[in-house]
Amino acid sequence: LKVAYSGVPGAFAHIAAGRIFPGSSRVPYRDFKAAYSAVVDGECDAVVLPIENSCNGEVGEVNDLMFSGTLYVNSIIDLAISQDLLGIAGSTPKDIKKVISHPQALGQCAKYIKERGYRQEEYENTALAAKYVAEQKDKSLGAIASAEAAEIFGLSVLEKNINATRGNLDFGEVD
């Protein structure tokens, strides 16, 4: 079974696809439309897309695809979001001066970031932020992402569950 998702390994869509379809082959695509089209075009058997975030509401682009395309939603799961502070091996939360992540993750962790006086920078998604931090090898740079992203990119989880709310992201399986 080939399952399309938007993002890269370690992204929350990648995690959701693995939970919905354990043992499947997860195939990353650059954006929601490309992942959706992969099923329409027969490249993949199903697509997993974020439908709604309990903090930030509906994912408009995905809803547009669902209501204007030919595929059907077959199931929806809630994925609890745990944002973690990631850094290179040997770094500590006190070493971090700047955090990077997706704007939504930065918003979910705003209180934590402010309390520690970190500067912040937006990145296109949480997993790519983790990859960037790993490539920079800079103890003063941290990413806000999943523990799975830390494992994939060889980072350490410096602090767990730093998001203010433990809200979830609803993912739909579409085929």
Side-chain angles (χ1 to χ4, degrees):
L1 184 68
K2 290 175 66 175
V3 180
Y5 69 94
S6 176
V8 298
F12 289 107
H14 176 257
I15 295 165
R19 290 194 185 154
I20 295 170
F21 297 105
S24 65
S25 173
R26 293 174 276 178
V27 183
Y29 286 87
R30 70 184 175 283
D31 57 34
F32 302 139
K33 185 167 178 29
Y36 186 95
S37 294
V39 177
V40 172
D41 297 341
E43 295 171 26
C44 291
D45 304 301
V47 60
V48 173
L49 297 169
I51 297 170
E52 181 179 47
N53 180 282
S54 55
C55 294
N56 288 349
E58 294 179 348
V59 181
E61 184 181 348
V62 172
N63 283 331
D64 290 346
L65 287 168
M66 288 189 320
F67 292 111
S68 65
T70 59
L71 303 181
Y72 297 93
V73 175
N74 291 316
S75 66
I76 295 176
I77 67 157
D78 288 341
L79 177 66
I81 299 298
S82 173
Q83 301 287 8
D84 300 330
L85 177 65
L86 313 181
I88 64 170
S91 63
T92 69
K94 289 184 179 186
D95 294 324
I96 303 300
K97 304 295 180 232
K98 179 169 76 171
V99 293
I100 65 169
S101 194
H102 186 274
Q104 189 163 300
L106 293 171
Q108 290 171 344
C109 302
K111 181 179 179 194
Y112 175 88
I113 293 167
K114 184 177 179 181
E115 287 173 352
R116 282 152 185 79
Y118 296 153
R119 289 178 289 123
Q120 60 185 5
E121 182 178 319
E122 293 182 358
Y123 218 76
E124 65 185 276
N125 83 34
T126 58
L128 286 176
K131 181 180 181 195
Y132 177 79
V133 167
E135 291 168 348
Q136 297 308 301
K137 298 179 174 47
D138 179 352
K139 280 188 171 188
S140 71
L141 189 60
I144 296 175
S146 66
E148 289 88 341
E151 186 175 333
I152 289 168
F153 298 112
L155 296 173
S156 297
V157 175
L158 306 181
E159 287 195 284
K160 295 186 88 34
N161 299 316
I162 64 171
N163 40 318
T165 61
R166 302 293 180 250
N168 62 48
L169 192 55
D170 293 334
F171 282 87
E173 174 251 321
V174 181
D175 61 13

